[in-house]
Amino acid sequence: MPITGSDLTRQTAAVLAEAIRTGEASAVEVTQAHLDRISSVDDRVHAFLYVDAEAAIDSARSVDAKRSAGEVLGPLAGVPLALKDVLTMRGVPTTCGSRMLENWRPPYDSSVVERLRAADIVILGKTNMDEFAMGSSTEHSAYGPSHNPWDLDRIPGGSGGGSAAALAAFEAPLAIGTDTGGSIRQPAAVTGTVGVKPTYGGVPRYGLVALASSLDQAGPCARTVMDTALLHSIIAGYDPRDSTSINAPVPNVVAAAAKADVRGMRIGIVAELNGEGYQAGVAQRFRESLAILEHLGAEIVEVGCPSFEYALGAYYLILPSEASSNLARFDGMRYGLRVGDDGSHSVEQVMSLTREAGFGAEVKRRIMLGTYALSSGYYDAYYGSAQKVRTLIMRDFASAFESVDVLVSPTAPTTAFKIGEKVDDPLAMYLNDIATIPVNLAGNAAMSLPVGLAPEDGLPVGFQIMAPPMADDRLYLVGAALESALYDQWGHLLIEEAPAL
Amino acid sequence: MTAITRAEVAHLATLARLDLTETELDHYAQQLDVILQSVARVSEIATADIPATSHPLPLENVFRDDIARPCLDRAEVLAAAPAHEDDRFRVPRILDEEV
């Protein structure tokens, strides 16, 4: 479904790639159009922390040269992409939204970046995020928040709010996010875009700066389900440099997106992720989407996942525990910030002064929470119990998937909230991820796609689809079918309704 | 009931190598208490008979052939370090002056 109009920034990645392959547009023209768009709107959106126009034009030029030389181009060759600033890219600043890594230029590429380069995708720059991916709004970025293109006074979600905002502001047709507890899906939901958290181990974590290693997963973001599938197939697959990378064929997500068929599928509504606590317009669009899926030939049933009620608690013990350990590497010795190295302070004092100055409030909060949960005397009650809840959540999923093919829920309980509304109320902020967290704890795959605007505030609503591990293709079967039905109903994609900025 | 005291938060900050200010200590003591009381609910269903899960995939040790591969470029790595000297990271003194 091509986005109509001749503006290159309003096309899908699939359409742009085809135009570049046929010579209808050059990769340089496509890249320049997006750089111009960034120049004209990013002072208001603040999706990007760093834009490397010169490098982007250079890589676009090499795509055009390959085409002229008669080389066969890949499915997304020459298409611009916005990269979340938590993935390393050799020689390009990688801050993770933190003062701790301000000006750090990594000496290596992450697996994801290697694969993007190999696919001739043009990386425009690095996108804003909550510091070290801790947050649901980008307000915890040390470099200031990103703004939601639907309403600039509102948050674009987090932690990958920069990537989602770049898509919704038509600054890039593709983006990479990372999802530890919902950081791809919740930003997608509140910006009217599509985001997928692949099965844990589906996309290698090499070069992904670790937040919580047993939960972190990089994934594709775009404005359509098919674009998301095309990007998914490029970044997914085994890499021996990540010990948790799955050595098995990547599910055929592109074929699934093309098939877009739910006939005969059993779709389960998670009883615990529905009803109370969900904004009226979110619940309404969710119900309407179920009716569409039923009309398309799916059978809708309700399933219970009783342990999900405890997922948020388990997550906010497991994540801080792993984070407190992972972030110990930021000690001011080998890279990043160093404070107080004046000859009088000892190495330990320099570490403490550096971490005090380099980390923001949310990062400190979670490091201390994790240090506490792991300390002797509390370990069994907190971290140990959380790990048991994780077992129960996996059992809930396993038993649900015995009777249904996918599970569904609203992605987030509300539409985008106002910047500043929850920034110093950690528990209120944590609740944004109530529906996305269970998937991370179990390692499943999940997608969020836009299903309309909430009538009460005119802001996008996200629909979450959850599949068993390594059944990522089912997300695309269901997502593409729903997207296509909604497109027929509206005559355009939801994102076309976003304000012009 | 209080889950965590201000003195405990100060101790945690020391363990975590965070040189927190007095204001931060007050603020975090209150916030961590609220968070801990909320997340402590996990113990309601975490009974003795349930095994713990540390990881979504079953992990096993992975061996590879012992083949030399190129490592990171030393100059590039040191260029990103806060301080370096003689091709090494330079760090502050590691012993106390009194010792």
Side-chain angles (χ1 to χ4, degrees):
Chain A
M1 58 185 89
I3 297 177
T4 49
S6 59
D7 183 346
L8 290 173
T9 64
R10 299 187 75 86
Q11 310 298 322
T12 67
V15 164
L16 288 174
E18 181 62 18
I20 291 166
R21 263 195 305 277
T22 60
E24 200 185 322
S26 72
V28 169
E29 282 167 353
V30 169
T31 299
Q32 191 58 54
H34 287 90
L35 291 170
D36 291 347
R37 175 71 179 169
I38 292 170
S39 300
S40 70
V41 302
D42 209 50
D43 57 333
R44 279 163 290 154
V45 178
H46 194 228
F48 285 89
L49 292 177
Y50 180 82
V51 175
D52 195 341
E54 209 174 308
I57 291 292
D58 279 351
S59 52
R61 203 170 278 136
S62 86
V63 175
D64 290 332
K66 282 184 184 182
R67 184 185 171 273
S68 308
E71 281 186 45
V72 178
L73 297 179
L76 290 175
V79 180
L81 174 140
L83 181 67
K84 189 177 180 183
D85 204 23
V86 70
L87 287 146
T88 61
M89 183 166 170
R90 190 173 186 173
V92 172
T94 300
T95 69
C96 300
S98 181
R99 294 284 172 207
M100 187 61 89
L101 289 177
E102 194 169 11
N103 304 319
W104 180 58
R105 290 175 188 257
Y108 70 108
D109 276 344
S110 52
S111 297
V112 167
V113 166
E114 277 179 3
R115 289 171 183 189
L116 295 173
R117 289 193 204 270
D120 287 317
I121 289 173
V122 174
I123 301 172
L124 297 170
K126 309 295 289 289
T127 56
N128 196 20
M129 56 186 281
D130 288 290
E131 185 174 8
F132 290 108
M134 300 187 200
S136 308
S137 68
T138 71
E139 291 170 289
H140 295 306
S141 167
Y143 305 99
S146 298
H147 299 261
N148 192 321
W150 289 82
D151 176 347
L152 295 172
D153 292 333
R154 291 177 189 267
I155 58 103
S159 65
S163 285
L167 295 170
F170 294 93
E171 294 173 294
L174 297 172
I176 296 289
T178 61
D179 191 313
T180 303
S183 289
I184 286 176
R185 291 162 286 158
Q186 180 258 3
V190 299
T191 57
T193 58
V194 182
V196 165
K197 185 206 95 72
T199 296
Y200 179 82
V203 175
R205 290 185 294 114
Y206 179 75
L208 162 58
V209 180
L211 165 54
S213 305
S214 79
L215 304 164
D216 296 344
Q217 183 61 71
C221 311
R223 290 189 294 257
T224 69
V225 172
M226 179 52 92
D227 283 359
T228 310
L230 290 167
L231 184 57
H232 188 139
S233 69
I234 284 168
I235 59 173
Y238 179 62
D239 182 340
R241 294 172 299 183
D242 171 1
S243 63
T244 58
S245 176
I246 296 172
N247 192 357
V250 178
N252 195 339
V253 293
V254 175
K259 192 176 172 199
D261 187 359
V262 295
R263 277 175 301 174
M265 280 184 91
R266 283 173 65 87
I267 295 177
I269 307 167
V270 181
E272 288 75 10
L273 302 180
N274 191 21
E276 237 181 278
Y278 290 83
Q279 189 182 318
V282 170
Q284 183 188 331
R285 296 300 179 222
F286 178 66
R287 281 196 307 273
E288 291 166 2
S289 303
L290 295 172
I292 292 173
L293 288 168
E294 194 162 33
H295 178 73
L296 292 173
E299 186 188 346
I300 312 287
V301 296
E302 187 173 271
V303 294
C305 294
S307 308
F308 281 18
E309 196 190 322
Y310 297 87
L312 195 70
Y315 179 82
Y316 278 102
L317 286 164
I318 291 169
L319 178 137
S321 297
E322 294 189 20
S324 68
S325 167
N326 273 326
L327 271 65
R329 64 168 57 91
F330 300 105
D331 56 10
M333 296 300 119
R334 293 151 299 161
Y335 40 73
L337 186 71
R338 180 184 288 185
V339 172
D341 184 12
D342 56 4
S344 75
H345 292 117
S346 70
V347 71
E348 271 196 27
Q349 290 168 324
V350 168
M351 285 179 187
S352 298
L353 291 166
T354 300
R355 289 162 63 81
E356 168 65 10
F359 288 143
E362 180 65 12
V363 173
K364 290 177 191 171
R365 207 153 32 222
R366 294 202 198 179
I367 287 175
M368 284 192 290
L369 199 52
T371 307
Y372 182 77
L374 292 177
S375 56
S376 74
Y378 299 106
Y379 183 96
D380 287 343
Y382 289 109
Y383 186 63
S385 295
Q387 287 191 314
K388 290 180 173 188
V389 171
R390 195 168 188 177
T391 306
L392 294 173
I393 286 165
M394 291 172 84
R395 286 180 185 170
D396 279 357
F397 270 119
S399 109
F401 287 129
E402 277 173 23
S403 61
V404 298
D405 299 299
V406 294
L407 292 166
V408 294
S409 77
T411 310
T414 68
T415 56
F417 49 91
K418 287 257 171 68
I419 290 174
E421 204 177 306
K422 300 178 182 180
V423 70
D424 203 34
D425 185 350
L427 278 183
M429 190 70 91
Y430 298 170
L431 280 170
N432 293 303
D433 295 333
I434 194 141
T436 47
I437 277 172
V439 161
N440 297 83
L441 289 170
N444 297 355
M447 167 188 285
S448 177
L449 78 152
V451 290
L453 304 178
E456 60 270 34
D457 55 21
L459 292 166
V461 173
F463 183 90
Q464 178 177 231
I465 308 162
M466 298 166 267
M470 291 308 276
D472 305 39
D473 48 333
R474 291 185 204 169
L475 307 175
Y476 291 94
L477 268 180
V478 178
L482 183 53
E483 179 189 61
S484 161
L486 290 167
Y487 183 91
D488 290 344
Q489 187 179 314
W490 300 325
H492 55 258
L493 291 169
L494 187 71
I495 196 70
E496 289 292 293
E497 295 181 32
L501 293 172
Chain B
M1 195 197 89
T2 307
I4 190 165
T5 65
R6 191 180 186 278
E8 282 178 297
V9 174
H11 178 60
L12 286 176
T14 308
L15 291 175
R17 305 283 185 272
L18 291 168
D19 191 32
L20 297 186
T21 64
E22 294 299 313
T23 319
E24 282 182 309
L25 282 175
D26 290 335
H27 197 56
Y28 287 136
Q30 181 259 326
Q31 285 188 334
L32 292 184
D33 193 53
V34 172
I35 297 168
L36 283 168
Q37 295 205 31
S38 166
V39 298
R41 284 192 64 218
V42 292
S43 60
E44 289 172 16
I45 56 167
T47 49
D49 56 316
I50 302 162
T53 297
S54 66
H55 210 272
L57 300 169
L59 281 183
E60 49 186 280
N61 198 9
V62 180
F63 292 96
R64 64 170 170 81
D65 293 333
D66 187 15
I67 299 167
R69 289 178 304 179
C71 61
L72 299 176
D73 181 77
R74 184 163 60 190
E76 215 174 334
V77 170
L78 289 176
H84 60 95
E85 199 176 300
D86 299 336
D87 285 344
R88 296 177 180 88
F89 297 115
R90 187 183 65 70
V91 301
R93 65 184 169 78
I94 56 168
L95 298 173
D96 282 331
E97 272 162 357
E98 294 79 32
V99 177

